[in-house]
Each structure stands twice: as structure tokens, then as C-alpha cells.
Amino acid sequence: MAYTGLPVATRHKVAQAFLIASLCAAALQVQAACTVPADLARQLRATPDARTHAALGTWYADHQQFGCAVDSFRKVTTLEPNSAHYEYLLGLSLSADGQFAAAVEPLRLSLRLDPDATQTHLLLGTALDHGNDRNAAELEWRLALAREPTSALALESLSRDLLADRNYSGVMALLGPPDASGRLTDTLALDLAAAMSHSGLPEDAARLLQKKLAANPASLQLAEALSGVLMLESRFQDAVAALSAAASQHPQDVQAQLLLLQTLVLARDPGAEALGQKLLLSAPAQWELLYFMGLLHQQQDDYAAARDYLRRSIAAKPGNAEAHYRLGMVYGSLKDESAARQELEQSIALGLDTPEVHFALAKALRTMGDMPAAQQQITLYQEKLKAQAARAQAADKAQQGDQAAAAGNLQQCIADYREALALDPHEPVLAYKLAMALDKAGDPAGERAALQQAVALDAHMAVALNQLGYLDASDGDAADAARYFELAVAADPGFGKAWMNLAASLCLQSKWADAREALHHVTALGGNDAGARALLQQIDAMEQPARP
């Protein structure tokens, strides 16, 4: 695939597709020697300039010799050092060769030479993501979107990174509102639905996924996501119906059939047994299949069969904590308390820390006569059950607070959020909601306390950090305000409002150069251009020498 000759509007899409394909190919072959083809060798002897070396680099890339392409484009950038295009091609070659860290520098240089190149922002974001620098990658996705707001690659990459950061409100702001689902790709709809579910909006997530599945009924991903949301709402038969329709169109897809089996088992649907036995004929050692069959036979009180299936599942995948827990429960039903204790303790050691596992272990220990250990597990059970109930009550109270806010009942809203936070004091979103309600009520001291609690729980909550900066700025403390705004943009480099606030606070300290740099971020992100331009004009006026 050639690097040149493509329309600018589509070049970045082709480059990304090329990058993915080339990485796969690179994993399957040993790098060939950098042999120059005869026609290009003649051209190099006649005209050894940047253009000819670039043609050689492109030839190497087309033949998936990416290391050789890197060498050629390094030569090109030496011969023509101030070309954004050639620096981009070097970065692309390095990325295709798997050298993502090395690709960052030429791509950044390319952007300094040509800041508006959408494809370069996209490729740099990809390289930064591979280097686990999500914050910097998110900025590149936002800069790309400022130039091309409908870029599917930038939207999907940014939403993926925001989900990885558990920034669910950021995903909803990026992709919402849900009634605009027709413009979303399936991947973006899945991301938005995940953010909604994590934000306590499963009904909205289900409606979104139902619309997308109606438009693409063969999509297993959409059906899987929808069934998961419906199961969370205890709509078991609806989940079975959603998944059955998609799985029937993919009868040879083992994972689709396993997912359907899981849903049937959890829904206690009588069709689970027949499907499970059918799948066992072709995949008798598949650990998930064996686990679900064990769970199915446990539901049927067939404990001997459940034990055998679960043992085989654990033999295939020893680290499955849920399987150890289920096997422990089965051993308890079979009156083998020693084996039950061993499996339950193993499930806890593997990370399963629910109230139920501690209760089951307490029961086994009590039967064995180890009363002190049993009491310790009962205490843990009670603590975790209390915390679980408190979180559920907090979610209900927070929802009541949302409803009170929507109805304009500010005092009731504040009371509900306070009660929710008291029930679940480790949830930063509740503290932030309370802070914003107190802001509307004109209680800056209470707002500050709630915001400080939010950032103590989540040091990367950019909106809370920005609001703390705003409070300091309102108090006339520009230096502390700037510190909070800097923390906000470090947590979310695409937060244009925080960049604008940072610029203003820096101006108040006469830090003109730093303020100008912050404003460049505002304009690059496509936000508040008029305000940024006005502030830049003020900075220019302040920096002009006074006339004698």
C-alpha cells in the first residue's frame, strides 16, 4: 500500500488500516534484508535526494519491510529536515514496525510543522496509547475531533480510553444524547451503553442497544451487551430472547452459543440442558461450558454431577474464583465440609470477596467445629452485607436527589445527596453531586468541603479539580486557582474549560507566556475561540512595550 497519492480527507483512515494489517504481518515474518530494487537503485545513483529515498521507503513499506522503511525515511528526514509529511511517514513506519515509543518524536515534530494534520494526531494518539500514556493520547483524539468532529477512529479511540479511565460522564458527554443513536457506530453505541450502565442508567442503555440491534439483528456484540443489561435488571426472559435471535444466526460460533447457555442457565430456562449437552459433543473440555453445566446441575440439586463438571472446569482453568466458590457450595451440599472449606478459601484467595462466600465459609467452619474462625467469617459477612446494602440505599437516595434537582427542589436535593454520601462515603461522584448542589445554593464553604472529599477519593476527577480552582479564583487566590486548573488539565488534557480557566489565572499573575500556551490548547481543542482570541489580544497588548 502506497503512502502517497491519497486524498487528505481519507489518508488517516487508510494509514490506520495499513498500520493494523502491517502489525499482523510483521508478527508472522522475519525482516528481510534491505535489498534495493534495480530501478530504484538506478534512481538513487542518479538523484540521491529526499524524494528518491522516500520512494524507496514507500517500496519497502508496500512490501512489509518496515525496518527498511524506517531506515529510508530517517535518511529522508536528514536530507529534508523540515518536512511535516516526511516526519509523518517516519512515524508511520516506526509504528508499523512496532516501535511506538520511537514514533512519538517524529510525529510530534510533524505536528509542530503542520498542527492541523488530522491523520498525524490520530497516528500519534495510537502510538501514545500503545505506550500506555492514555492522558496524552486522549488529547490527540480530541485535537483530531476538533478538526474532524465525525471521525469514527477518533471517537472510538477516545471513548475507549475514557472507559478505561472509568470516566463514564465523559463518554456520555462525548457520544450522547442517546436519542442520537442513529449516528453512532455499533462500537460507539456499545461504549455509550456501557457508560450508561455504570452510571446507574440501565434502562437508557437497554433502549439504546435495542434500537441498534433492531438495525443490525445479526450483531452478537450488540445482543451480548443488551442481554447483559437486561440480566442486571432481572429481565431474564427478555435477555434470552435478545440473545437467542442473534445466536441462531451464528450456529457455528462457540462463544455465541456459550453466551446463550450462560443466559439460559442464569434465567433458569429449561432449554439450557439440551443446549449444554449439544455443545459438550464438540467441546468436551471447554472450561466455560463445564462451569455452566456445573452451575446448571447445582440448580437442579444434582450435586454429584455438578461436582464433576466443576472439577473438570477448574482443571482446565484453575484461576476461576467463581468455579472454586461454586464447587465449595456443592461440597457443602454433599456434606464434605473439609473440601468445601478448601475451595471457599481458595475462591477468596483468588479475589472473590462477596458476603455470600464468607457466609458459606462460616457455615463450613462451624460444622467442622472451628467456632472462632467461623465467627470471624460471620463478622466479615455482616460487614460486607452492610456495605452492600448501604451502596444500594445510596444509589436510591442519589436518584431521589437527581429527581429533586430536576424539579427545582434544591434543599431536598442537597439533603438526599448528603444522605447518599453518608451511606456510601467512598463514592467520589456523590461528593461531586453534593458540591454542585451546594454551589447552586450559594454555600461555598460546604461546596469546597464536598469537592475536597471528591478529589481525595479520586485524585483525577478533573471537573472537581476545576471547580476547586474556580472557588480559589473567586476568593482572589490566583496562584492556588492555577494549581488546581493545572491538576485538572493534567487529569483530562482535553478539558477546554479548565485550560481557559488556567489561562485566565495565569494572566492574573502576569505569566503571559504560560497563559498564551494554555490558550493555544483552548483554540486547538476548538472551544471558546472568541474568548480565547480576546484574551490573547489582551496579552499582546500587555506585552507591547510602552511608548516613550
Side-chain angles (χ1 to χ4, degrees):
M1 175 181 293
Y3 284 82
T4 54
L6 296 172
V8 173
T10 60
R11 193 179 301 155
H12 67 278
K13 298 177 183 177
V14 176
Q16 184 68 8
F18 162 71
L19 175 58
I20 295 169
S22 61
L23 288 174
C24 295
L28 298 174
Q29 65 180 28
V30 176
Q31 180 65 54
C34 298
T35 303
V36 181
D39 57 337
L40 285 172
R42 287 193 297 271
Q43 292 181 41
L44 284 171
R45 286 193 295 270
T47 315
D49 58 6
R51 183 182 295 275
T52 309
H53 280 282
L56 176 60
T58 300
W59 186 91
Y60 283 136
D62 289 344
H63 291 79
Q64 298 181 348
Q65 297 182 38
F66 305 114
C68 298
V70 168
D71 293 341
S72 291
F73 284 114
R74 284 199 191 282
K75 179 68 173 178
V76 171
T77 57
T78 301
L79 293 169
E80 193 169 324
N82 292 312
S83 167
H85 180 60
Y86 287 150
E87 293 291 346
Y88 169 76
L89 294 180
L90 174 56
L92 179 59
S93 299
L94 286 162
S95 297
D97 197 42
Q99 300 183 56
F100 293 104
V104 170
E105 183 179 352
L107 291 172
R108 282 184 166 152
L109 176 56
S110 178
L111 285 171
R112 284 196 291 273
L113 296 165
D114 182 8
D116 293 324
T118 304
Q119 75 274 12
T120 312
H121 285 292
L122 291 169
L123 187 58
L124 178 55
T126 301
L128 291 165
D129 252 353
H130 277 275
N132 295 317
D133 190 351
R134 280 206 302 269
N135 271 0
E138 287 172 18
L139 177 59
E140 296 306 322
W141 306 134
R142 291 188 187 277
L143 289 169
L145 287 169
R147 290 152 179 79
E148 190 177 325
T150 60
S151 168
L153 174 59
L155 286 167
E156 290 175 6
S157 300
L158 178 55
S159 66
R160 180 195 62 227
D161 283 353
L162 291 172
L163 282 175
D165 292 336
R166 296 188 296 177
N167 186 354
Y168 306 123
S169 61
V171 175
M172 290 189 288
L174 176 70
L175 303 179
D179 58 3
S181 60
R183 66 179 176 81
L184 299 178
T185 64
D186 285 357
T187 299
L188 292 174
L190 289 165
D191 288 350
L192 180 54
M196 290 173 172
S197 294
H198 283 293
S199 301
L201 300 169
E203 300 89 350
D204 290 344
R207 282 193 291 270
L208 169 63
L209 292 169
Q210 284 166 338
K211 286 182 181 179
K212 297 300 291 186
L213 190 60
N216 185 8
S219 171
L220 283 173
Q221 282 187 306
L222 291 171
E224 176 182 354
L226 176 57
S227 67
V229 171
L230 294 171
M231 292 288 281
L232 288 175
E233 294 188 274
S234 299
R235 295 168 58 184
F236 300 113
Q237 292 308 316
D238 288 341
V240 168
L243 199 55
S244 296
S248 65
Q249 300 183 56
H250 302 272
Q252 304 306 315
D253 190 316
V254 175
Q255 286 303 315
Q257 302 307 313
L258 281 173
L259 185 59
L260 176 57
L261 175 63
Q262 175 189 10
T263 308
L264 291 169
V265 170
L266 294 177
R268 295 180 179 268
D269 190 289
E273 180 71 37
L275 177 59
Q277 293 299 332
K278 176 183 175 182
L279 294 176
L280 282 169
L281 295 175
S282 57
Q286 215 284 340
W287 71 269
E288 287 178 287
L289 173 56
L290 294 167
Y291 170 76
F292 294 133
M293 292 302 291
L295 180 55
L296 174 62
H297 283 272
Q298 183 190 17
Q299 291 175 350
Q300 297 170 348
D301 297 334
D302 185 357
Y303 301 118
R307 176 196 60 201
D308 294 341
Y309 279 122
L310 290 168
R311 278 176 171 173
R312 290 164 59 191
S313 177
I314 290 170
K317 188 173 182 179
N320 184 359
E322 277 284 350
H324 284 283
Y325 166 64
R326 293 291 178 182
L327 182 54
M329 295 290 288
V330 167
Y331 276 130
S333 298
L334 292 170
K335 310 302 181 186
D336 188 347
E337 304 299 344
S338 177
R341 173 182 182 174
Q342 180 179 346
E343 294 299 328
L344 293 167
E345 288 178 339
Q346 181 64 16
S347 71
I348 294 172
L350 289 168
L352 189 62
D353 196 24
T354 63
E356 293 78 13
V357 68
H358 290 288
F359 184 80
L361 180 54
K363 182 180 177 182
L365 291 165
R366 186 185 303 114
T367 303
M368 296 173 67
D370 191 346
M371 300 309 294
Q375 184 56 50
Q376 184 181 24
Q377 292 299 317
I378 284 293
T379 300
L380 287 170
Y381 161 73
Q382 292 171 338
E383 290 174 354
K384 294 184 181 302
L385 195 64
K386 183 179 179 181
Q388 191 178 77
R391 285 193 295 272
Q393 293 173 29
D396 289 340
K397 272 295 171 185
Q399 188 173 23
Q400 292 175 27
D402 294 343
Q403 292 169 353
N409 190 342
L410 189 56
Q411 292 307 312
Q412 184 60 51
C413 165
I414 291 171
D416 287 335
Y417 286 153
R418 284 195 190 281
E419 190 172 346
L421 188 58
L423 287 164
D424 189 3
H426 301 295
E427 177 49 66
V429 173
L430 294 177
Y432 178 72
K433 284 188 172 186
L434 173 60
M436 293 299 93
L438 291 168
D439 178 72
K440 291 181 179 178
D443 182 359
E447 178 187 359
R448 182 182 294 276
L451 289 169
Q452 288 172 338
Q453 184 175 354
V455 298
L457 294 167
D458 182 357
H460 301 289
M461 183 177 276
V463 288
L465 292 164
N466 179 70
Q467 190 66 15
L468 280 167
Y470 176 78
L471 290 178
D472 280 338
S474 299
D475 290 342
D477 192 340
D480 276 356
R483 179 172 61 87
Y484 277 119
F485 294 139
E486 286 169 351
L487 290 172
V489 298
D492 182 359
F495 196 173
K497 183 177 180 180
W499 281 112
M500 188 71 184
N501 289 338
L502 175 59
S505 64
L506 291 168
C507 282
L508 291 173
Q509 301 174 74
S510 300
K511 296 182 177 180
W512 310 118
D514 292 339
R516 185 187 297 279
E517 180 65 24
L519 288 169
H520 285 320
H521 282 280
V522 177
T523 56
L525 289 165
N528 198 7
D529 286 345
R533 285 196 299 271
L535 197 51
L536 279 170
Q537 289 174 359
Q538 293 181 31
I539 292 172
D540 290 340
M542 293 299 299
E543 290 185 323
Q544 288 177 359
R547 293 183 178 180

